[in-house]
Amino acid sequence: MTQNTPPSQPSSGDSKPIPTRGRFPLLDRVSQPVDLRNLSIDQLKQVADELRSETVETVSTTGGHLGASLGVVELTVAIHAVFDTPDDRLIWDVGHQAYPHKIITGRRDRIRTLRQPGGLSGFTRRSESEYDPFGAAHSSTSISAGLGMAVAHHLRAEDDPSYRERNVIAVIGDGSISAGMAYEAMNNAAVAGEGAERLIVILNDNEMSIAPPVGSMSNYLSRLMSSRQFMGLRDLAGKFVKKLPDRLERTAKKAEEYARGMITGGTLFEELGFYYVGPVDGHDLTQLVPILRNLRDTDQGPILLHVITEKGHGYKPAEAAGDKYHAVAKFNVVTGEQKKAPPGPPSWTNIFARELVDRAATDSRITAITAAMPSGTGLDKFAAKFPDRFFDVGIAEQHAVTFAAGMATEGLRPFCAIYSTFLQRAYDQVMHDVVLQKLPVRFAIDRAGLVGADGATHAGSFDIAYLGCLPGMTIMAPSDEIELLNMTATACEFDEGPIALRYPRGNTYGLELPAKGEIIQIGKGRIVREMGQQSGREKGGIAILSLGPRLEEALKAADQLAAHGLPPTVADARFAKPLDTQLVEQLARDHAVLITIEEGSVGGFGSLVAQHLSQTGLLDHVRLRTMTLPDTFIDHDSQFEQYNTARLNAPHIVQTALKALGIVEQQSSSVRMASGV
């Protein structure tokens, strides 16, 4: 067995004394997984109990994904105790269940920096530890990546006889395995050759009833089927039936598969070419450890081990909660009571949901579709009112988009509500199945822009760019909650083609809302503030053209510039596409400097404005400055600090304006004043 080396540590985030050290005597002895490998089953059970308590203590101070992590504590301990990680590769699908994994892979001293500025990621990350061989935060990638690793190991071993082939273990949840990509990977594994023999997929089943109840008999059968003796007997039987005529060989093989399928529920996975073992109680180390040892020592793969777990297992408040504490704020460990933020205005998500539900009450053509995120997108409210018109398709964004396209062909008005970062997974369907056919699918793009503690993996940075290049796409971005009501209402009535409205994570501004949204003119922006009459470029002046919620920061910047005797014009673009060309041309003609600002990447709204000004020749007569997210990934932090990092807050707008006017000396004092320094 290879001696493991300590994982590399990222430069950011400070290691601190472990506040629970001394309370958990066995866990204190585990600095790396190798420390688990000489422990007895009883000792491993104690480690699991202590690890669960440490996980609860940690998340109570940081917030994060608790329920899924508690559900895999025993599985985490068993895998690291049996396999030679990190040489054997362990991949956690999505990764939000990997907190216990992080604790026992050399990161316990930093675990309370989880999701904090400069601290550990809430997901697996290759740059964070050698025990994270594949970064993940979007679902259903683990089997594909694991198969790639397994095949690579085999090819390397063939080329270099001294290279030891590794086991690859991919842990995937019952929700993640609903995505088509998981089945594409399993289908390919069946024909990937000898390289797939070291692939072990562990199906972590904590919600879907896809198997009979777990009991002593099924545990016994699982141990039997994973044993070397049974696999050897099965291999011998396979060689025997190959001597039979083809028809009898096929019949014998089917009989064996279906006999085991009746006991285990594994026929589907057998048909995909996997040797199925399970179901197994995922909280019983007495069962898990010997089964994993059997699977480690066989070359009969690819193998699928089906384990039954419970989200929130072992922590009573989580077990009693409806969501099993899937994602929590900081909480009291004893009572489980989460710290509530002070009451404030409604979220952008709730504003969208309110208007959609109101419109659907009088328009039976409106339907709502989401991909496993009914509460996250606000569509749980729609589902409660109109269950027959609500569709949660599971983690299947590609299907969601084309499903919506099919509805649109028959005269319905489908809303496809998907986070910006997840809509990326269905880009071909957006282009080919919706935009190319000019179908009126409405895309409600939640979590647009930067998202805080979830970091770069969940940031909605790219939708303006990836949708803006598609012919015939309409893209709206509300600057406040009233605008969101109006744009939702507009999308309901827009039947000329695909339309998208993008809005951020978090709370709105607390504006008084009208009873219902109003229909706005497609492709028309608005002047929000015009400070003084400016009839020509020769009079100078600054124009700020904002798309989306950065309008608030643009108005703050306008106040600061006005204090310097430079009152700008501020406009709300409303639409990235179709562009309000009349407004853009007016601003370019009447001002010396035109600044665009957006919560999106390079290649988005600012690029569309620059393209139009270039074509009209107006780019020769105005100093255009486009403010976008930088061409890099921004790590987890508060949303405000992320936008500071991106240089998209009011002081940065002021600095950009002054620099464009060549006012260098005033620039520094202005930025200091704007920052409150």
Side-chain angles (χ1 to χ4, degrees):
M1 189 171 290
T2 304
Q3 178 67 37
N4 298 322
T5 56
S8 58
Q9 297 287 350
S11 58
S12 60
D14 297 327
S15 298
K16 298 179 181 179
I18 300 169
T20 54
R21 185 172 292 282
R23 286 175 50 192
F24 306 133
L26 266 184
L27 184 62
D28 287 348
R29 291 166 50 189
V30 179
S31 60
Q32 303 289 334
V34 68
D35 299 324
L36 296 169
R37 291 170 193 156
N38 291 321
L39 299 182
S40 68
I41 296 294
D42 286 340
Q43 287 175 312
L44 292 176
K45 290 179 180 178
Q46 182 179 335
V47 170
D49 290 340
E50 295 175 0
L51 180 57
R52 176 170 282 106
S53 296
E54 176 74 333
T55 302
V56 171
E57 291 271 357
T58 295
V59 182
S60 74
T61 66
T62 65
H65 294 95
L66 179 61
S69 289
L70 296 182
V72 297
V73 167
E74 286 82 9
L75 183 61
T76 303
V77 170
I79 291 172
H80 281 297
V82 169
F83 291 94
D84 187 21
T85 54
D87 286 347
D88 287 336
R89 310 298 197 226
L90 171 58
I91 308 168
W92 296 96
D93 205 280
V94 183
H96 60 215
Q97 74 279 55
Y99 300 175
H101 160 80
K102 294 194 178 203
I103 291 171
I104 61 173
T105 54
R107 287 169 277 183
R108 186 182 173 196
D109 60 343
R110 302 184 65 238
I111 196 64
R112 285 164 181 77
T113 70
L114 195 68
R115 293 161 53 91
Q116 308 302 304
L120 296 178
S121 169
F123 306 96
T124 54
R125 177 182 286 183
R126 280 175 54 83
S127 61
E128 194 176 284
S129 170
E130 64 179 338
Y131 289 95
D132 294 357
F134 198 76
H138 293 188
S139 81
S140 315
T141 62
S142 60
I143 304 176
S144 297
L147 178 60
M149 293 177 186
V151 169
H153 293 158
H154 180 71
L155 293 176
R156 289 183 65 182
E158 283 192 330
D159 187 57
D160 179 3
S162 66
Y163 184 84
R164 182 184 68 83
E165 288 197 48
R166 273 79 165 149
N167 291 290
V168 179
I169 307 98
V171 183
I172 185 168
D174 50 33
S176 295
I177 208 168
S178 70
M181 184 176 178
Y183 292 96
E184 292 172 13
M186 286 191 285
N187 184 59
N188 181 229
V191 295
E194 294 179 3
E197 290 179 351
R198 309 307 306 171
L199 175 65
I200 301 169
V201 174
I202 299 179
L203 171 57
N204 175 32
D205 179 3
N206 56 32
E207 286 183 338
M208 294 171 60
S209 298
I210 61 174
V214 177
S216 57
M217 180 57 73
S218 64
N219 276 328
Y220 168 73
L221 290 171
S222 296
R223 292 184 66 179
L224 172 64
M225 287 187 297
S226 68
S227 69
R228 184 182 298 274
Q229 293 89 339
F230 183 91
M231 289 184 173
L233 182 61
R234 184 181 184 231
D235 185 51
L236 181 63
K239 293 176 180 177
F240 171 73
V241 297
K242 286 185 181 298
K243 304 294 186 181
L244 300 174
D246 289 346
R247 183 175 61 83
L248 291 178
E249 178 188 352
R250 289 193 298 271
T251 301
K253 186 174 186 296
K254 290 292 182 186
E256 189 262 354
E257 289 176 356
Y258 282 104
R260 293 196 303 113
M262 284 189 292
I263 298 171
T264 66
T267 302
L268 170 63
F269 302 111
E270 290 284 342
E271 291 292 335
L272 287 168
F274 276 71
Y275 185 86
Y276 175 89
V277 177
V280 176
D281 184 348
H283 302 297
D284 185 355
L285 283 163
T286 304
Q287 298 293 333
L288 274 177
V289 170
I291 288 172
L292 288 173
R293 284 175 178 155
N294 287 338
L295 300 184
R296 178 195 65 192
D297 297 334
T298 185
D299 58 359
Q300 297 291 317
I303 292 167
L304 187 135
L305 172 62
H306 181 180
V307 301
I308 307 295
T309 62
E310 178 190 27
K311 275 188 176 180
H313 183 81
Y315 182 54
K316 293 191 183 309
E319 291 176 346
D323 64 353
K324 304 297 183 184
Y325 277 28
H326 172 71
V328 295
K330 298 177 182 181
F331 62 93
N332 182 295
V333 173
V334 176
T335 65
E337 181 180 2
Q338 297 185 49
K339 294 183 180 178
K340 296 181 180 178
S347 68
W348 294 85
T349 301
N350 285 336
I351 296 295
F352 159 73
R354 191 200 97 169
E355 183 67 14
L356 185 64
V357 168
D358 287 350
R359 291 276 167 176
T362 58
D363 188 346
S364 61
R365 292 171 294 175
I366 292 176
T367 60
I369 302 158
T370 190
M373 300 296 291
S375 59
T377 59
L379 291 189
D380 53 341
K381 300 172 181 62
F382 188 99
K385 291 275 190 180
F386 313 106
D388 293 342
R389 289 189 269 155
F390 168 73
F391 305 90
D392 182 352
V393 302
I395 302 176
E397 291 86 0
Q398 293 171 303
H399 165 62
V401 171
T402 305
F403 178 49
M407 286 184 171
T409 65
E410 300 299 328
L412 296 185
R413 288 174 161 175
F415 274 79
C416 202
I418 300 177
Y419 291 3
S420 172
T421 187
F422 298 147
L423 188 59
Q424 296 163 181
R425 297 163 67 98
Y427 188 64
D428 182 62
Q429 286 68 31
V430 173
M431 192 288 292
H432 183 271
D433 299 340
V434 176
V435 178
L436 188 62
Q437 302 186 87
K438 300 180 181 178
L439 292 174
V441 173
R442 289 93 175 146
F443 294 99
I445 304 177
D446 206 321
R447 271 55 168 188
L450 302 177
V451 294
D454 282 337
T457 58
H458 284 60
S461 305
F462 307 108
D463 56 89
I464 304 174
Y466 71 66
L467 294 178
C469 63
L470 299 178
M473 173 62 77
T474 296
I475 307 170
M476 304 182 286
S479 56
D480 58 41
E481 56 263 54
I482 296 175
E483 286 290 289
L484 178 54
L485 282 184
N486 295 339
M487 290 181 182
T488 304
T490 301
C492 288
E493 299 295 324
F494 186 75
D495 293 318
E496 284 70 42
I499 188 167
L501 58 152
R502 69 184 311 264
Y503 44 94
R505 180 180 191 172
N507 291 340
T508 52
Y509 304 118
L511 302 180
E512 185 176 349
L513 296 173
K516 60 184 298 186
E518 297 180 356
I519 309 301
I520 61 176
Q521 184 178 348
I522 297 296
K524 294 301 292 183
R526 59 187 180 127
I527 298 290
V528 177
R529 183 183 299 181
E530 190 163 11
M531 305 293 288
Q533 296 297 315
Q534 298 176 336
S535 59
R537 176 181 173 276
E538 67 279 359
K539 293 190 175 182
I542 303 161
I544 303 172
L545 179 58
S546 172
L547 178 72
R550 284 297 97 188
L551 181 63
E552 182 188 37
E553 293 296 314
L555 290 171
K556 290 178 183 177
D559 291 339
Q560 294 162 18
L561 288 166
H564 277 65
L566 296 167
T569 297
V570 180
D572 178 8
R574 280 181 162 173
F575 292 84
K577 196 173 183 180
L579 194 65
D580 187 342
T581 55
Q582 183 179 354
L583 175 62
V584 169
E585 291 172 15
Q586 174 190 337
L587 296 175
R589 280 195 301 266
D590 294 347
H591 301 84
V593 172
L594 173 57
I595 298 170
T596 66
I597 183 167
E598 62 194 290
E599 297 182 351
S601 69
V602 173
F605 173 64
S607 295
L608 294 171
V609 171
Q611 173 75 9
H612 179 73
L613 293 177
S614 174
Q615 289 178 328
T616 59
L618 286 170
L619 193 59
D620 301 334
H621 302 288
V622 67
R623 300 171 210 171
L624 177 67
R625 302 293 185 267
T626 59
M627 297 184 70
T628 68
L629 295 176
D631 193 23
T632 186
F633 293 108
I634 296 178
D635 214 350
H636 51 270
D637 207 328
S638 70
Q639 284 175 284
F640 181 82
E641 288 303 326
Q642 286 182 319
Y643 282 113
N644 255 347
T645 300
R647 300 186 60 77
L648 290 181
N649 284 333
H652 309 111
I653 302 173
V654 172
Q655 183 176 348
T656 300
L658 294 175
K659 187 175 181 180
L661 289 172
I663 308 175
V664 179
E665 291 184 2
Q666 293 185 24
Q667 172 182 319
S668 298
S669 61
S670 171
V671 172
R672 285 197 299 271
M673 178 194 71
S675 303
V677 178

